[in-house]
Amino acid sequence: MARAATTSDPFNAVAEPRRRQILTFLAADERDVSEIVVAVGLDQPSVSKHLGVLRRVGLVRVRRNGRHRLYRTNAAALKPVHDWTETFERLWRHQLERVKERAESQMNPKPPSQ
Amino acid sequence: MARAATTSDPFNAVAEPRRRQILTFLAADERDVSEIVVAVGLDQPSVSKHLGVLRRVGLVRVRRNGRHRLYRTNAAALKPVHDWTETFERLWRHQLERVKERAESQMNPKPPSQ
DNA sequence: ACATTACATACCTATATGGGAATATGTCAA
DNA sequence: TTGACATATTCCCATATAGGTATGTAATGT
């Protein structure tokens, strides 16, 4: 089989750097498409397609205002990604602690325990 | 251009469900490839290829033990993903609070302020 | 109605898979 | 050395893009 559809879930949606860039850009305020086009430096149809993907997985919300469409990030849809990585947080904290301990024992060496 | 290489960064690596499954499986203990094959239900070459991707982005570590290769999750490599989603955490917390407030005001309606 | 603006969508192409089959590589055991 | 076992790699194909070009569509101004 080929690669899974990027439209299927937030993990795939945020795998694309441009889409992460868009989500960051839309995190603070709502913006229309032309502003996003300027911000990411792609042409308009490409941006619209990225917005389509983000829309389908619920990562952005749209509101019409006359001819403009105002997009904004729907951060809640990122929670599954955050939660999944969170389950590994304890592991890397342990790991970093071990690294830190090793560094400290280098600075202030203890004799090897018999 | 085509889709970005999945080997390029942790975001792409964890976009694949099978790889997330593998990372979860390898989070607790180290396991050899045949155990992973059983766990995810793919054939061995496919698993080896997924492990190759995870290796290249540093999401797993390998240790040889005779004919076996023992893999384990390197959780620290997930930190960039966690950190990025973390920057949106404040936003979805606000959002959830608004939802909660609305729910509460439904349960105990207040008269509209003049 | 007509032109213009702001987007979305359709279509096209190069590319990067994901998975399976076959094969190569590496390691141990007798 | 020979064989068996554990993995990795190569080759193949179907598929899903990402981005660009061309086009469709909705809303506004005159």
Side-chain angles (χ1 to χ4, degrees):
Chain A
M1 244 189 253
R3 190 185 244 182
T6 153
T7 56
S8 47
D9 65 279
F11 286 94
N12 276 292
V14 303
E16 167 62 42
R18 284 7 235 284
R19 286 197 285 264
R20 289 202 298 279
Q21 194 183 348
I22 291 173
L23 289 175
T24 300
F25 183 63
L26 297 178
D29 299 295
E30 48 181 16
R31 304 280 192 173
D32 66 28
V33 178
S34 65
E35 290 176 298
I36 304 170
V37 167
V38 172
V40 304
L42 288 176
D43 51 30
Q44 176 266 313
S46 296
V47 169
S48 278
K49 270 196 293 189
H50 283 307
L51 290 172
V53 171
L54 294 172
R55 235 187 299 126
R56 278 189 285 282
V57 300
L59 276 164
V60 295
R61 303 286 189 208
V62 211
R63 184 170 73 83
R64 302 185 72 138
N65 185 9
R67 283 184 273 207
H68 299 256
R69 309 215 178 176
L70 300 175
Y71 281 85
R72 72 158 61 213
T73 297
N74 175 37
L78 276 174
K79 205 166 176 310
V81 179
H82 187 261
D83 289 350
W84 184 78
T85 56
E86 185 86 353
T87 64
F88 295 89
E89 200 248 348
R90 195 172 48 75
L91 297 177
W92 75 60
R93 227 176 35 216
H94 281 189
Q95 204 178 331
L96 294 179
E97 264 165 32
R98 282 204 301 280
V99 169
K100 197 179 151 200
E101 279 165 15
R102 217 160 2 178
E104 280 166 358
S105 69
Q106 291 280 337
M107 312 247 289
N108 189 6
K110 286 178 204 167
S113 53
Q114 288 289 56
Chain B
M1 244 189 255
R3 191 185 242 183
T6 151
T7 57
S8 48
D9 65 278
F11 287 93
N12 275 291
V14 303
E16 168 62 42
R18 284 8 235 284
R19 287 198 284 266
R20 289 203 297 279
Q21 195 182 348
I22 290 173
L23 289 176
T24 301
F25 183 62
L26 297 178
D29 299 296
E30 45 181 20
R31 305 281 192 172
D32 65 29
V33 177
S34 65
E35 290 177 297
I36 304 170
V37 167
V38 172
V40 303
L42 288 176
D43 52 29
Q44 176 266 312
S46 295
V47 169
S48 278
K49 273 195 289 189
H50 282 308
L51 290 171
V53 171
L54 293 172
R55 236 187 298 126
R56 278 190 284 283
V57 300
L59 277 164
V60 295
R61 303 288 189 205
V62 212
R63 183 170 72 84
R64 301 184 72 138
N65 185 10
R67 282 184 272 205
H68 299 254
R69 308 214 178 176
L70 300 175
Y71 281 87
R72 74 157 60 215
T73 298
N74 175 38
L78 276 174
K79 203 166 178 310
V81 179
H82 186 262
D83 288 351
W84 184 76
T85 56
E86 185 85 355
T87 64
F88 295 88
E89 200 248 347
R90 194 173 49 75
L91 297 177
W92 75 61
R93 228 176 35 217
H94 280 189
Q95 205 177 331
L96 294 179
E97 264 166 34
R98 281 203 302 279
V99 170
K100 198 179 148 199
E101 279 165 15
R102 217 160 1 177
E104 281 167 358
S105 70
Q106 290 281 336
M107 312 245 288
N108 189 7
K110 286 178 204 167
S113 52
Q114 289 286 59

